[in-house]
């Protein structure tokens, strides 16, 4: 394996699937039960905030019963032991990467464990249920909180930092994402444009599979630890 210096890793719902967190577009995924326009758009929230709060309350409660798996742990180990830089960009709003020990981490679609106040624009840690009567811990306003997640039509977080990292990386890994949602689905092209080697690790080829130099297919808990072992033993 060549001596890489800078790795950017994109993860999606597939890395948390074996922890018991639902994916979106698999056969029994979240979007097979719920219309994304109702729960993952600003318009849906304006139409029926209670429904959106309940959707995220259920998922937040579900976090108490799940744990990081071997794939999350392997990426945390890679960050600890790799001699170069590792930036982990996750589309997931769960906290399994940080619970596994990853620290150089961007939640580009937000975090289930945070509230965003539409009155003062502050973000606050949030672990309980949220409703239209919830009070902002930062400014005290009532009725302005929403889950701190990025819905369709909204700008994902820290895009400048992500694009700078993609322009400077020599290895790009995409793990457990279907490649349906932009801008994340375009990261592989961006990394390739700047000369990075690109690898997809997924259960099945994603929508953008032909953009990758290499594919490793299988369950995240098997292929990610094996890939990380290979990288760290090749030093
Ligand atoms: C396993 C496995 C195992 C299973 N092991 N693998 C037309 C063209 C282009 C773009 C657009 C367009 N029309 C609209 C847009 C923009 C839109 C978009 O992309 N729409 C598409 C549907 C077409 N995007 C946006 O609106 C974004 N904002 C934006 O574009 O701003 C403007 C901008 C422009 C330029 C630069 C920058 C910005 C915002 C997108 C927000 C997405 N939000 C959601 C919900 C909120 C969070 C939440 O509730 O959790 O985020 S949608 C949902 O999809 C969630 C996910 O993060 C995201 C991605 O899903 P993911 O992770 O890929 O999951 P799945 O289920 O799709 O795939 C799982 C994969 O795992 C599968 O491949 C399985 O095989 C695999 N797997 N088990 C390994 N054990």
């Amino acid at each position: 394996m060549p001596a890489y210096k800078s790795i950017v890793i994109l993860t999606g719902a597939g890395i948390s699937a074996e922890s018991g967190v639902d994916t979106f577009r698999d056969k029994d995924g979240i979007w097979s039960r719920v219309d994304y326009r109702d729960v993952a758009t600003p318009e849906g929230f304006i139409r029926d905030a209670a429904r959106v709060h309940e959707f995220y309350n259920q998922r937040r409660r579900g976090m108490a019963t799940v744990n990081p798996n071997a794939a999350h742990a392997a990426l945390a180990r890679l960050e600890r032991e790799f001699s170069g830089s590792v930036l982990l960009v996750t589309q997931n709003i769960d906290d399994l990467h940080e619970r596994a020990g990853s620290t150089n981490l961007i939640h580009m679609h937000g975090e289930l464990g945070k509230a965003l106040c539409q009155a003062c624009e502050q973000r606050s840690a949030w672990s309980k249920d949220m409703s239209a009567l919830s009070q902002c811990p930062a400014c005290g306003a009532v009725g302005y909180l929403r889950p701190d997640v990025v819905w369709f039509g909204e700008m994902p977080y820290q895009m400048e930092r992500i694009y700078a990292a993609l322009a400077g990386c020599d290895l790009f890994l995409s793990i457990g994402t279907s490649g349906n949602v932009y801008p994340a689905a375009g990261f592989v092209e961006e990394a390739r444009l700047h000369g990075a080697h690109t690898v997809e690790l997924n259960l099945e080829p994603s929508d953008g599979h032909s953009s990758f130099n290499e594919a490793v297919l299988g369950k995240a808990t098997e292929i990610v630890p094996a890939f990380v072992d290979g990288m760290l033993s090749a030093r």
Side-chain angles (χ1 to χ4, degrees):
M1 201 171 290
Y4 296 112
K5 292 189 175 66
S6 174
I7 310 174
V8 175
I9 305 167
L10 173 70
T11 63
I15 197 165
S16 297
E18 290 163 82
S19 291
V21 181
D22 286 340
T23 61
F24 293 92
R25 297 170 185 81
D26 289 313
K27 194 166 61 65
D28 302 320
I30 294 174
W31 296 157
S32 71
R33 306 189 292 273
V34 187
D35 187 328
Y36 77 91
R37 287 166 295 203
D38 290 335
V39 295
T41 63
E43 296 78 14
F45 188 61
I46 290 166
R47 237 181 0 253
D48 191 348
R51 176 160 165 59
V52 176
H53 281 310
E54 188 44 34
F55 175 69
Y56 286 99
N57 286 342
Q58 268 185 26
R59 291 173 64 195
R60 196 181 297 104
R61 282 181 226 133
M63 283 303 106
T65 61
V66 299
N67 289 301
N69 64 45
H72 299 102
L75 296 186
R77 177 180 169 226
L78 183 64
E79 183 189 322
R80 264 193 325 271
E81 297 184 16
F82 182 64
S83 54
S85 73
V86 177
L87 174 65
L88 182 52
V89 179
T90 187
Q91 298 171 86
N92 300 342
I93 63 174
D94 66 52
D95 62 354
L96 297 180
H97 281 306
E98 43 274 64
R99 280 164 57 192
S102 289
T103 58
N104 199 20
L105 169 67
I106 294 176
H107 277 279
M108 66 176 290
H109 290 165
E111 292 173 68
L112 204 43
K114 285 191 181 160
L116 173 63
C117 177
Q118 297 177 103
C120 70
E121 297 183 3
Q122 292 293 306
R123 297 187 164 81
S124 307
W126 198 268
S127 56
K128 48 192 189 240
D129 281 0
M130 193 183 293
S131 78
L133 299 176
S134 295
Q135 183 174 31
C136 172
C139 71
V142 172
Y144 289 92
L145 286 189
R146 57 167 277 185
D148 184 20
V149 300
V150 177
W151 290 323
F152 285 105
E154 298 182 322
M155 185 63 84
Y157 296 152
Q158 301 199 45
M159 292 308 300
E160 271 185 35
R161 190 177 155 208
I162 295 171
Y163 279 120
L166 290 168
C169 75
D170 46 16
L171 178 64
F172 173 75
L173 307 178
S174 172
I175 304 174
T177 175
S178 63
N180 266 268
V181 174
Y182 287 84
F187 289 173
V188 57
E189 294 293 356
E190 191 69 18
R192 270 187 79 156
L193 190 72
H194 291 91
H197 183 69
T198 58
V199 186
E200 164 160 278
L201 297 100
N202 209 38
L203 200 54
E204 54 196 28
S206 71
D207 279 12
H209 69 96
S210 57
S211 299
F212 289 87
N213 298 121
E214 195 183 329
V216 183
L217 298 182
K219 290 181 178 178
T221 57
E222 293 167 7
I223 59 178
V224 176
F227 190 87
V228 168
D229 277 349
M231 283 210 63
L232 293 175
S233 61
R235 288 175 294 177

